[in-house]
Amino acid sequence: MTDGGAILEARGVTKVYETRGVETRALNGVDLAIGEGEFTALSGPSGSGKTTLLNLFGALDEPTGGEVRLDGEDLAGLGAAALSELRLRKLGFVFQAYNLIPVLSAVENIEFVMVLQGVAAAERRARAGALLREVELEGLGGKRPLEMSGGQQQRVAVARAIASRPRIVLADEPTANLDSETASRLLDLMERLNREQGVTFLFSTHDPLVMERARRNVRLKDGRVVADETKTAA
Amino acid sequence: MILRLAWRNAWRNPRRTGILVVAVAVGIAGTLLTMALNYGMVFQMVETAIATELGHLQVHAPGFDANPELAVRLTDGGRKGLSTLDGLAGVRAVARRVRGEGLLSSPRASAGVRVIGIEPEREARITRIAASVTDGSYLDGVGRRVLVGEALAERLEVDVGDKVVLTVQDLAGELTGEALRIAGLFVTPSYELDTSTVYLRLDDGQSLLGLGGSVSEIVALADRRSRVPALRARLASELGDGAEVRSWDELQPVLVYLIEVFDQSALIVYGAVFVAMAFGIANVLLMTVYERTREIGIMRAVGFGRRALVATIVTESLLVTALGLGLGFAVALACVLWLGDGLDLSYFAEGLGRYGITSRIVPVLRSGDFTAPVGVAIVTAVLASAWPAWRAVRLRPAEAVRQT
């Protein structure tokens, strides 16, 4: 991936956590670029640094060393408000579980980011309705998260993540709490969005199913990239 | 969105929020009701003072305020004052009086008394003395008769129709007395009137006190209390240096002081109630912030800014407080309406009578009683949410989203 085509880029990124005087090196000089339209999985054993790297790409945390760039812009030095705005405009998130705001219905959860973006109410409703159809949850828009299954909740989370029309969706273990059939259907959905709408996805995962579906697999171990394989089209 | 989130968050745990709302409501209602009863008592003291003796305005000869002696009198018989007051809009009634001091004696006992000579018909339009007669009759055209309080009559062991001797020091400084017959007995909310005041006709008083045609004072009643300051200024301007014009609050400044004391004590009570309330609200909000750590992290991750987060928590605090306030107001109003005829304090009646308070206290709520707690509540709600909001914005999204 060239510098010019990268949405996200890590250059010599290190991340050190310190707890009661004990330092833990979660990332140790990671160089990685994610290009537009990719469907990439970050995998590796627990403690390999995949979630840490995803958090740094998601502007949820700051590196101890190196640079993280989004659309070529170094995130270092941006204030909390600027990072929040950047997440709102350019990034979509799908977390492992309990992704949704429980007091809002499915459609309100999808509209949530659009409200923050200042999208007009009529357009919001139209887009949220279309996204519900897209994730095959038409008719369930009025349901609260607790009234939905785990798979349905993750589909709403995907709809919310792409509702803001982000540059990339970061998904942290999105299938971890789902059975294999539900996980497969969720991946079908994300693959379709990637293929048909060009939505870029970056996963952190342990799940072999996700790795199997990903077109690019980046393997981390002890805070370093130890493998980076891109599948060739069949 | 913020209002919707705040409202729904407030009701995620209905029992907890319900308890908080009820606690706020009980505090507000209790405080309001206490204030209403306290103010009702003060209001009654003021009304009693005005309706039994003070009136709204009094006119005296210059120097009466500093030296209220018999010699300081309106030598024109109050005619100028009367005609001026009669011509002023907003004056409901006017009467003249003479005042002195004396000794009222029966065959069995005697008591020091205030002697007040009144114009019976005019006085009846100003004070409640005519309506307070419980036995015998009010003063009428027949002279040499007196009205005394039931308590005084009991002390002197006399009754309606009995003769008493009223001894006074007249204008010339001579001791003089006259035998008078008791026309009637009265009971008022005023201990002082009931135990140590004798009413007689104005001409009998002038004669007994050697005042000739002079009077001690003119008393006037306005059609509403709010008109008194303007009437006082107008009357003072019309009468010039020839008279002293004073309003009820100048004649009894202690009543005004009492109202101010009650208003200030209300603020202290509100302060105490709201401080306790603030801890309750802060506690509940802190718990909800801890419970929602992951959710707050996710909201922050998808772009919910710090300001919006603070606004949501402050709004939640304001909503809960507003509910408590509304419920408290409703309960207080319902109690005040229920106590419309007053709260019976007859057990303490004798003690209260010394302060011009009847045995039945009617609670009085003023508009300010509602506006003051609203202001304090808004400040309390914002302050109470400051700590939880600070906790929430300090959460690091990367750590918060990992919370389970």
Side-chain angles (χ1 to χ4, degrees):
Chain A
M1 187 58 55
T2 63
D3 281 1
I7 297 174
L8 279 170
E9 194 174 6
R11 291 183 181 172
V13 167
T14 59
K15 179 68 184 177
V16 179
Y17 294 108
E18 190 180 315
T19 311
R20 294 175 188 162
V22 179
E23 285 192 351
T24 308
R25 191 167 284 267
L27 292 176
N28 197 3
V30 170
D31 291 300
L32 182 67
I34 306 297
E36 195 157 0
E38 285 193 22
F39 200 72
T40 302
L42 287 174
S43 61
S46 293
S48 60
K50 52 190 186 299
T51 296
T52 300
L53 184 57
L54 207 71
N55 284 341
L56 294 178
F57 276 150
L60 297 174
D61 209 349
E62 295 166 13
T64 310
E67 285 180 8
V68 176
R69 290 179 174 270
L70 174 58
D71 279 336
E73 183 183 15
D74 188 357
L75 303 187
L78 292 181
L83 290 173
S84 184
E85 186 68 13
L86 186 141
R87 289 193 296 268
L88 176 64
R89 304 280 167 194
K90 295 193 171 182
L91 300 170
F93 291 88
V94 179
F95 296 99
Q96 188 172 327
Y98 311 111
N99 248 308
L100 305 175
I101 300 164
V103 293
L104 299 182
S105 66
V107 75
E108 287 169 338
N109 264 286
I110 295 169
E111 284 190 48
F112 184 72
V113 286
M114 291 191 274
V115 172
L116 299 179
Q117 285 180 324
V119 176
E123 187 186 342
R124 250 180 9 233
R125 268 179 224 118
R127 275 164 63 180
L131 285 164
L132 272 174
R133 281 192 295 280
E134 191 74 55
V135 298
E136 298 167 9
L137 289 176
E138 204 172 5
L140 297 181
K143 291 215 179 283
R144 296 264 181 106
L146 287 176
E147 299 168 321
M148 303 169 83
S149 69
Q152 287 171 331
Q153 287 185 40
Q154 288 301 70
R155 284 169 175 271
V156 175
V158 170
R160 183 188 61 191
I162 60 173
S164 60
R165 296 179 174 164
R167 297 279 288 131
I168 184 168
V169 174
L170 305 173
D172 186 11
E173 307 270 11
T175 58
N177 282 25
L178 305 178
D179 60 68
S180 57
E181 189 185 330
T182 310
S184 181
R185 287 183 61 198
L186 184 70
L187 285 168
D188 288 345
L189 167 69
M190 291 195 275
E191 266 187 321
R192 183 160 54 80
L193 290 169
N194 172 256
R195 193 174 56 246
E196 294 175 3
Q197 297 185 18
V199 179
T200 307
F201 281 91
L202 175 62
F203 304 93
S204 91
T205 188
H206 280 108
D207 189 348
L209 189 64
V210 178
M211 289 181 250
E212 186 188 312
R213 300 280 195 97
R215 290 200 299 279
R216 181 181 173 196
N217 270 295
V218 178
R219 187 161 175 79
L220 293 173
K221 189 177 178 187
D222 298 331
R224 294 175 192 274
V225 175
V226 294
D228 186 349
E229 296 165 355
T230 303
K231 293 174 190 168
T232 51
Chain B
M1 177 60 83
I2 284 170
L3 188 63
R4 191 188 308 168
L5 273 174
W7 174 255
R8 292 187 188 172
N9 278 334
W11 293 103
R12 283 165 87 147
N13 190 330
R15 188 187 300 171
R16 187 164 63 195
T17 302
I19 288 171
L20 187 60
V21 167
V22 168
V24 172
V26 167
I28 296 292
T31 310
L32 267 180
L33 202 56
T34 307
M35 291 303 120
L37 284 168
N38 281 344
Y39 189 71
M41 236 180 319
V42 176
F43 185 77
Q44 200 174 78
M45 286 168 74
V46 171
E47 289 301 306
T48 298
I50 289 170
T52 53
E53 192 166 352
L54 286 184
H56 285 136
L57 288 166
Q58 288 189 7
V59 180
H60 297 102
F64 188 86
D65 187 27
N67 185 24
E69 286 186 352
L70 207 54
V72 186
R73 63 199 191 279
L74 297 166
T75 52
D76 69 343
R79 273 182 288 280
K80 186 178 180 191
L82 266 184
S83 61
T84 307
L85 279 161
D86 282 341
L88 288 181
V91 175
R92 187 196 294 172
V94 185
R96 298 175 299 168
R97 294 176 183 156
V98 292
R99 284 180 174 275
E101 289 177 357
L103 186 75
L104 188 68
S105 306
S106 74
R108 293 172 198 86
S110 57
V113 291
R114 295 187 309 151
V115 179
I116 303 179
I118 58 172
E119 297 176 283
E121 284 183 18
R122 283 178 173 268
E123 186 74 24
R125 290 198 289 271
I126 291 181
T127 65
R128 291 190 205 133
I129 193 66
S132 302
V133 172
T134 54
D135 196 7
S137 62
Y138 183 56
L139 297 173
D140 50 24
V142 181
R144 300 167 67 86
R145 297 171 69 175
V146 292
L147 289 177
V148 297
E150 271 189 12
L152 179 59
E154 198 174 319
R155 186 169 153 197
L156 297 178
E157 298 180 45
V158 290
D159 210 337
V160 174
D162 290 349
K163 270 192 174 176
V164 286
V165 175
L166 182 57
T167 307
V168 299
Q169 189 174 31
D170 67 14
L171 184 62
E174 300 292 331
L175 275 180
T176 180
E178 194 158 352
L180 304 158
R181 198 170 292 278
I182 295 176
L185 306 179
F186 61 81
V187 175
T188 70
S190 166
Y191 177 80
E192 193 182 6
L193 282 183
D194 289 1
T195 59
S196 58
T197 304
V198 174
Y199 287 98
L200 68 172
R201 289 177 53 90
L202 181 72
D203 50 359
D204 285 343
Q206 286 171 322
S207 168
L208 182 65
L209 294 164
L211 288 171
S214 302
V215 296
S216 305
E217 68 193 22
I218 303 169
V219 59
L221 196 67
D223 52 11
R224 336 188 259 281
R225 211 199 288 175
S226 58
R227 297 186 79 151
V228 172
L231 279 174
R232 184 206 175 284
R234 181 83 192 275
L235 190 59
S237 158
E238 296 272 340
L239 297 178
D241 294 337
E244 273 180 5
V245 181
R246 288 184 300 159
S247 53
W248 67 271
D249 48 340
E250 292 170 306
L251 291 160
Q252 285 284 346
V254 70
L255 294 175
V256 180
Y257 174 71
L258 266 176
I259 293 172
E260 287 171 3
V261 166
F262 274 115
D263 283 343
Q264 283 166 12
S265 66
L267 283 179
I268 293 169
V269 174
Y270 279 131
V273 167
F274 279 94
V275 164
M277 197 179 91
F279 279 104
I281 294 171
N283 183 42
V284 167
L285 287 175
L286 264 181
M287 285 173 71
T288 63
V289 166
Y290 282 122
E291 286 168 1
R292 292 180 216 158
T293 297
R294 180 181 166 84
E295 183 183 320
I296 289 170
I298 287 170
M299 287 166 72
R300 297 272 291 116
V302 300
F304 200 62
R306 286 179 168 176
R307 282 185 190 171
L309 184 58
V310 169
T312 306
I313 292 169
V314 172
T315 304
E316 190 175 334
S317 176
L318 283 169
L319 285 173
V320 170
T321 308
L323 279 176
L325 209 57
L327 186 61
F329 283 168
V331 171
L333 268 175
C335 287
V336 166
L337 289 174
W338 183 59
L339 291 172
D341 293 336
L343 185 65
D344 187 4
L345 298 176
S346 52
Y347 184 75
F348 309 101
E350 192 177 338
L352 292 171
R354 290 173 189 268
Y355 303 100
I357 302 166
T358 64
S359 61
R360 198 163 270 283
I361 305 298
V362 177
V364 175
L365 278 174
R366 299 162 293 170
S367 56
D369 294 332
F370 293 98
T371 52
V374 167
V376 182
I378 290 170
V379 173
T380 305
V382 172
L383 289 179
S385 56
W387 185 13
W390 180 78
R391 282 277 321 167
V393 296
R394 273 177 55 86
L395 289 172
R396 294 167 60 86
E399 291 165 15
V401 294
R402 284 202 292 271
Q403 297 283 317
T404 51

